[in-house]
């Protein structure tokens, strides 16, 4: 199997970071095994978006607004760096690209994806 990547689709009962891409280790008809923190995790295949490579733009995720253990800037909508997977608050102004504070790489932001996540 060629290297593939997957991310959780919205509103599924799995405790994984929404918006983050994970390496696919194995695909069956109904289940996928993905690598999470260097460990295999089984997930229903229907719950995943699977691609040959993750997009090279910021992934968009919706944080838990009620969880007080989560830093305030990650309780709402935030971005996930496509290079290093670091999380970052999205700018209020719709800029074309954002530089990651961790890896210092700049990637585009798909504002249509931001709108899709926040209007659910």
């Amino acid at each position: 199997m060629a290297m593939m990547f997957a991310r959780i689709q919205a509103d599924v009962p799995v405790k994984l970071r929404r918006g983050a891409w994970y390496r696919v280790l194995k695909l069956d008809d109904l289940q996928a095994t993905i690598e999470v923190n260097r460990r295999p995790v089984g997930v229903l295949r229907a719950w995943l978006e699977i691609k040959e490579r993750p997009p090279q733009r910021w992934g968009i995720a919706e944080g838990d607004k009620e969880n007080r253990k989560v830093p305030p800037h990650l309780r709402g909508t935030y971005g996930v760096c496509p290079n290093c997977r670091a999380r970052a608050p999205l700018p209020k102004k719709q800029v074309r690209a954002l530089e990651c504070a961790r890896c210092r790489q700049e990637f585009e932001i798909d504002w249509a994806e931001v709108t899709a996540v926040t209007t659910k």
Side-chain angles (χ1 to χ4, degrees):
M1 173 177 87
M3 188 175 291
M4 300 185 84
F5 296 86
R7 71 175 174 176
I8 298 297
Q9 296 188 44
D11 300 325
V12 296
V14 178
K15 292 191 177 207
L16 295 175
R17 288 175 47 194
R18 290 175 42 194
W21 289 90
Y22 299 95
R23 189 167 68 101
V24 175
L25 301 175
K26 182 179 174 185
L27 279 176
D28 293 332
D29 290 338
L30 298 175
Q31 180 145 331
T33 304
I34 60 176
E35 182 179 40
V36 180
N37 297 326
R38 297 182 193 36
R39 295 181 153 193
V41 174
V43 180
L44 287 176
R45 188 173 179 165
W47 291 353
L48 298 172
E49 176 184 351
I50 300 171
K51 296 198 179 240
E52 287 186 19
R53 63 183 213 125
Q56 289 299 298
R57 64 179 183 270
W58 284 89
I60 309 304
E62 183 72 21
D64 184 352
K65 293 178 181 154
E66 306 301 319
N67 187 346
R68 298 294 175 215
K69 293 180 182 177
V70 175
H73 67 280
L74 298 178
R75 288 187 192 148
T77 303
Y78 61 86
V80 180
C81 176
N83 183 52
C84 70
R85 311 298 185 247
R87 296 177 285 181
L90 293 171
K92 301 291 182 204
K93 184 179 175 186
Q94 287 196 7
V95 296
R96 186 179 78 69
L98 178 65
E99 181 179 300
C100 177
R102 182 191 288 166
C103 70
R104 299 289 183 214
Q105 298 292 313
E106 184 176 86
F107 300 97
E108 289 186 16
I109 300 171
D110 183 355
W111 288 102
E113 186 176 345
V114 175
T115 302
V117 167
T118 58
T119 58
K120 282 189 270 173

